[in-house]
C-alpha cells in the first residue's frame, strides 16, 4: 500500500510517499481502507517535534521516539471503508463507511489502517463525503467534550477563543446547537466562515483583546496556547465557566484555586474520544446542525504542502489528505 511516512523529526519535507506492507487486523480489530485523513496541527507538531505547550516535551519524546519517530505513519483522524474484520468483531462489518480516530496508534496517512473495534470509529454521516467526514472527528470530538463540560444553557453567552481552528469551528456550531449566543475570536480571514457557521459576533484578536471590551460571558472556551489566564477569568460572569484546552502547568495549578475559592469553575481536562460522542456528532450532522469546514484537500504526493498550509495558518477550515489520490485534488 502507499503511505506518507517520516523517519526523522523536521520540516514538512521529511514526509515521503512510500510503498509499504499493509497491516493485518487482529481478532478484535477492523481493517479500514482509508479514503481521507485530516492533516492536523498536532500532526505537524509531532512531525517537527515543536510544541506551543512545553511541559509535555520530555514525556512525549520518550513515548513517541527519542532519536526518531517509532511510528512512521502520522494521521489520527480519518474516514474510509471497512474491508476486513477480525474473528471477534461484531459492531462493524465489511463495507461499512466509517469515520473516527485511530488515537495514539495513528497511521491514517496510509491506504490501510487497523484499529480495535472498541475505538471511536462509527458509520459516517450519510450526507457527507469522505473528505468532509475526515475533517470532523478531531474538531468535533474535542469540541463536544468541552461544550458538554461547560453545561451550556439556552441563551447563555459563550466566547470561543481560537474559534477559527479545527476545534473552535466545531465548538461554535455545537454551542449554537445548544442554544448559546456565540462570540468568536480569531483573525479576520476566518470571520466570514465563522459568521456563516453561526457566530453571532466576531472579534479580531490581531486588532484588540476581547477582555479589553469589558464584556462578560457565561462560558469562555479557550484553545489558544499561552493566552492570559487572568484575562479569561476576568471575562466571566458570576458562576461562569472557563474551559482551557491547552493548559500550561501554571494554568493547571491556578484552575484548582479558582474553582475551590471563587464562584467560577475552570476545567482543563483533555478530551476523551468516545463512540457515543462521535455518534452524537453524526446525528447533529445528519440534522444539518453541524457542517464540515474543509479549506483544501491535497493528494498524497503533496503532503508536505498540506502541512505547510496547516503551519502557516492561512486557512479557514481543515486541511485534508485524499488518501489513495496521487493526482491533483482541488
Ligand atoms: N485539550 C485537548 O484535548 C486538545 C486536543 C487536541 C488539540 N489540542 C491543542 O489545541 C490547540 C488548538 O487545536 P486546533 O486543532 O483547533 O488548532 P488550529 O486549527 O490551529 O486552531 C487554532 C486557531 O487559533 C487561532 N489563534 C492563534 N492565536 C490566537 C490568539 N492569540 N487569539 C485568538 N485566536 C488565535 C488561530 O488563528 P491564526 O490563523 O491567526 O493563527 C487558529 O484559527 C492545538 O495547539 C492543539 O495541540 C488540545
Amino acid at each position: 500500500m502507499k503511505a506518507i511516512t517520516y523517519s526523522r523529526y523536521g520540516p514538512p519535507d521529511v514526509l515521503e510517499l512510500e510503498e509499504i506492507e499493509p497491516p493485518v487486523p487482529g481478532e478484535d480489530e477492523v481493517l479500514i481502507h482509508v479514503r481521507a485523513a485530516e492533516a492536523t496541527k498536532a500532526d505537524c507538531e509531532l512531525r517537527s517535534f515543536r510544541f506551543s505547550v512545553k511541559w509535555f516535551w520530555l514525556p512525549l519524546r520518550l513515548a513517541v521516539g527519542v532519536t526518531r519517530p517509532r511510528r512512521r505513519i502520522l494521521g489520527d483522524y480519518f474516514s474510509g471503508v471497512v474491508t476486513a474484520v477480525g474473528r471477534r468483531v461484531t459492531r462493524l462489518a465489511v463495507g461499512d463507511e466509517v469515520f473516527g480516530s485511530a488515537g495514539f496508534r495513528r497511521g491514517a496517512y496510509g491506504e490501510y489502517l487497523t484499529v480495535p473495534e472498541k475505538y471511536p470509529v462509527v458509520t459516517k454521516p450519510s450526507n457527507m463525503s469522505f473528505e468532509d467526514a475526515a475533517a470532523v472527528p478531531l474538531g468535533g470530538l474535542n469540541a463536544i467534550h468541552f461544550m458538554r463540560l461547560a453545561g451550556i444553557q439556552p441563551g447563555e453567552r459563550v466566547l470561543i477563543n481560537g474559534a477559527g481552528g479545527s476545534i473552535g469551528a466545531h465548538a461554535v456550531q455545537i454551542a449554537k446547537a445548544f442554544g448559546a449566543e456565540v462570540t468568536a475570536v480569531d483573525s479576520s480571514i476566518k470571520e466570514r466562515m465563522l459568521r456563516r457557521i453561526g457566530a453571532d459576533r466576531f472579534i479580531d484578536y490581531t486588532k484588540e483583546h476581547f477582555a479589553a471590551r469589558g464584556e462578560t460571558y457565561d462560558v469562555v472556551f479557550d484553545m489558544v496556547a499561552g493566552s492570559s489566564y487572568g484575562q479569561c477569568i476576568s471575562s466571566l460572569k458570576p458562576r461562569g465557566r472557563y474551559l482551557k484546552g491547552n493548559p500550561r502547568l501554571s494554568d493547571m495549578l491556578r484552575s484548582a484555586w479558582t474553582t475551590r475559592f471563587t464562584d467560577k469553575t475552570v476545567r482543563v481536562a483533555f478530551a476523551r474520544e468516545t463512540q457515543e460522542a462521535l455518534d452524537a456528532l453524526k446525528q447533529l450532522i445528519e440534522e444539518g446542525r453541524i457542517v464540515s469546514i474543509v479549506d483544501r484537500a491535497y493528494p498524497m504526493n503533496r503532503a508536505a504542502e498540506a502541512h505547510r498550509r496547516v503551519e502557516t495558518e492561512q486557512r479557514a477550515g481543515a486541511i485534508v489528505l485524499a488518501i489513495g489520490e496521487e493526482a491533483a485534488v482541488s
Side-chain angles (χ1 to χ4, degrees), residues 38 40-42 45 51-53 56 77 138-139 142 145-146 160-169 185-190 203 205-206 209-210 222-225 227 244-247 268-273 310-315 317:
E38 180 173 355
T40 68
K41 190 161 199 169
E45 289 169 342
F51 296 91
S52 42
V53 177
F56 56 62
Y77 301 98
L138 161 67
N142 281 285
H145 168 83
F146 284 107
I160 298 174
N161 195 28
S166 306
I167 299 169
V185 184
D186 211 297
S187 57
S188 57
I189 59 166
K190 323 276 170 77
I203 299 173
Y205 80 85
T206 64
H209 194 286
F210 64 83
D222 177 20
M223 289 309 294
V224 176
S227 62
K244 173 99 182 127
N246 243 334
V268 293
F270 284 87
R272 279 185 56 232
E273 299 181 339
V310 175
E311 287 177 337
T312 54
E313 291 293 1
Q314 292 307 301
R315 63 191 168 110

Side-chain angles (χ1 to χ4, degrees), residues 13-59:
D13 296 320
V14 300
L15 297 173
E16 290 175 320
L17 188 56
E18 256 193 89
E19 196 68 43
I20 60 169
E21 283 300 308
V24 177
E27 288 191 343
D28 300 314
E29 293 181 336
V30 296
L31 178 69
I32 293 163
H33 183 191
V34 181
R35 298 287 301 275
E38 180 173 355
T40 68
K41 190 161 199 169
D43 292 342
C44 296
E45 289 169 342
L46 276 174
R47 189 214 68 233
S48 60
F49 224 85
R50 286 169 180 270
F51 296 91
S52 42
V53 177
K54 306 289 177 208
W55 63 266
F56 56 62
W57 194 98
L58 185 61

